[in-house]
Amino acid sequence: MAPSSSFPEPADRVPADRVPAETAPADTAPADTAPSPASNADAHSPTPEPDPAPPSRLRWRVVDIVVASVLGVAVGVVFWVWSTAWSTLSLPFLAFPPAAGLLTGVWVLAGPLGAMIIRRPGAALYCEILAAAVSAVLGTQWGMQVLISGALQGLGAELVVLLLLYRRFGPVVTLLSGLGAGLFLGLGENLMYNTEWQPAWQLVYLAAAGVSGLVLAGGGTLLAVRALRRTGVLAPLASGRTAAEV
């Protein structure tokens, strides 16, 4: 029986034209594709980390909390003095009590002042409530009800800067924040203390409180911020670096 043709022929009997050409080993890269030293260095060099994002202009910092707290306490003492003297201050308005609203702007000073100096969400509300709490602790004729008044008045100032997304803090915004705080004071006083007045008197008191907030709180804030900026104490805050705004 003849051997099967599938068996390989001895190497010395394989025709020359059937000898396979030499090939480079599979794991040997061609010389012209070898990685350069520079590419190796790049491969092993650490990837640079992106720069940290700048702090948000809406985020409270420690310095903001400290300054807002100092403002709240300081204005709270002013509230207490104004409350103590209120019986004397309101004597000229006994014939027409609603006109006494023209003196109420002092009680809403903390809100606009906090909003324009701190320039953070909730600053007006925080400063006004804290000031009201300080006056309550020192003792006023209205007791702890001043906390409700402080919350309403702070909200009136806060809404103005909130509607502008905390981007504008110029003189007009300052005056409007005082107006908003004054109107909310008049509204709260009518609901809590002036319930026996006829509607016309309540409207007069509301308007008088709004004007007082505009002039005494808004205008007072403009003067206070400019004076504080000149001393340099506002340098760590945005309000101390934008002299053209306020």
Side-chain angles (χ1 to χ4, degrees), residues 97-123:
L102 294 172
L103 301 179
T104 58
V106 175
W107 278 317
V108 299
L109 178 62
L113 195 61
M116 297 305 122
I117 289 180
I118 307 303
R119 302 189 177 187
R120 295 287 189 269

Side-chain angles (χ1 to χ4, degrees), residues 68-85:
S69 300
V70 171
L71 284 175
V73 172
V75 180
V77 175
V78 175
F79 285 1
W80 174 73
V81 173
W82 201 249
S83 300
T84 303

Side-chain angles (χ1 to χ4, degrees), residues 115-212:
M116 297 305 122
I117 289 180
I118 307 303
R119 302 189 177 187
R120 295 287 189 269
L125 197 59
Y126 173 77
C127 289
E128 191 72 35
I129 292 177
L130 178 58
V134 170
S135 68
V137 171
L138 293 176
T140 69
Q141 55 185 308
W142 298 283
M144 299 305 292
Q145 282 185 308
V146 296
L147 293 178
I148 301 175
S149 299
L152 287 173
Q153 296 153 22
L155 181 62
E158 188 75 33
L159 286 177
V160 173
V161 287
L162 173 61
L163 291 174
L164 297 172
L165 302 178
Y166 301 97
R167 294 180 181 272
R168 302 287 298 276
F169 298 91
V172 175
V173 179
T174 305
L175 294 174
L176 288 177
S177 67
L179 174 63
L183 289 175
F184 271 62
L185 176 144
L187 179 62
E189 298 283 300
N190 284 336
L191 292 175
M192 291 188 295
Y193 305 114
N194 305 331
T195 54
E196 296 181 358
W197 285 0
Q198 55 183 315
W201 278 29
Q202 291 185 349
L203 287 176
V204 171
Y205 186 80
L206 179 65
V211 171
S212 185

